[in-house]
Amino acid sequence: MTAMNTPATTRPARPRQAAQAGVERSPVTQRSRAYQGFQQQIIDARIRPGQFVSQRELMELLEMPLAAVRELVPRLEAAGLIKAVPQRGLQIASVDMKLIRNAWQVRAMVEREAVVHFARVASAETIAGLIEAHEAILERALKPQPDAQLEKDAQAVDWGLHDLMVDSIGNEILSEIYRVNSLHVRLIRYDADSMRPVQVVPAMREHLQFLHALAAKDAQGALAHMMAHIEESKHRVLTGMLRVGQLPGSV
């Protein structure tokens, strides 16, 4: 089997630091850095679903010039992450039942293919490393008072597994589609914020069921566990949002 590295937590360079270092100042590179910065704002939950922002406010959030932000906006609109509202500005995607259904449908479709491929190419060392990382998070989560860094580290391990599987296919177009959809999922999870502390334990346990099936070379069992995990994650989000009345258009 082909050896693969265990995912590491990476953060895009801050735009201001890159500019100060004089690194690649071309408009295309600036637009790319602006997009990475926008992604990080969502990952760090600094941008709220349904929030209105102006181009000037985006400049401040992303620490990028107006020209880069203006080039960024069409890309975000095409991805469905924002929409222009006349006389109001730019609105971050709102969360409703349609968005949840669409986002999780894309997850299931892409990850089904990813799991089948990953089961063929992931090395025993990679799987063992992933199991170790998940068990460490689970151990921290089960302590009477989990540490303040737990959720952030858990998210890195959680999404690191999913991203690694999708990227293992080697299809850059598919990886980009998945990354954009992941941002929609993160926006949805932001709205379910009240449920986040209790999501770590079940998510880690579901991942471990999947990984142990991989370690046992049970590809069908691994696929079943991952599909069940995706469905359970949607159920947890819906339960949290319905509980606090955050879900427009729910029935």
Side-chain angles (χ1 to χ4, degrees), residues 176-192:
E176 176 63 17
I177 291 171
Y178 184 77
R179 290 297 196 280
V180 170
N181 190 66
S182 294
L183 293 178
H184 286 290
V185 172
R186 288 173 186 268
L187 279 173
I188 293 166
R189 286 186 169 184
Y190 182 101
D191 252 18

Side-chain angles (χ1 to χ4, degrees), residues 59-105:
M59 284 176 57
E60 295 176 3
L61 281 171
L62 306 179
E63 299 180 357
M64 295 296 293
L66 182 59
V69 171
R70 283 175 173 168
E71 289 188 344
L72 171 67
V73 168
R75 182 177 181 182
L76 296 178
E77 287 184 300
L81 292 168
I82 65 170
K83 66 177 180 180
V85 179
Q87 301 180 346
R88 298 275 321 259
L90 302 170
Q91 185 179 25
I92 309 300
S94 298
V95 173
D96 56 21
M97 282 296 294
K98 181 180 179 181
L99 178 61
I100 295 171
R101 181 179 65 249
N102 290 349
W104 258 267
Q105 184 179 46

Side-chain angles (χ1 to χ4, degrees), residues 195 238-246:
M195 287 292 291
L238 287 171
T239 299
M241 296 177 71
L242 288 169
R243 182 173 298 168
V244 294
Q246 289 179 314

Side-chain angles (χ1 to χ4, degrees), residues 79-157:
L81 292 168
I82 65 170
K83 66 177 180 180
V85 179
Q87 301 180 346
R88 298 275 321 259
L90 302 170
Q91 185 179 25
I92 309 300
S94 298
V95 173
D96 56 21
M97 282 296 294
K98 181 180 179 181
L99 178 61
I100 295 171
R101 181 179 65 249
N102 290 349
W104 258 267
Q105 184 179 46
V106 171
R107 277 197 73 182
M109 291 171 65
V110 174
E111 293 197 42
R112 180 178 293 275
E113 179 67 21
V115 168
V116 171
H117 181 78
F118 195 66
R120 292 199 303 265
V121 304
S123 69
E125 291 78 13
T126 293
I127 296 170
L130 289 165
I131 289 174
E132 182 180 357
H134 280 76
E135 287 179 340
I137 292 293
L138 182 59
E139 182 180 357
R140 289 166 59 188
L142 289 173
K143 290 182 178 180
Q145 293 186 343
D147 56 273
Q149 186 70 15
L150 171 65
E151 186 183 330
K152 187 173 183 179
D153 292 345
Q155 287 289 316
V157 170

Side-chain angles (χ1 to χ4, degrees), residues 79 122 166:
V166 173

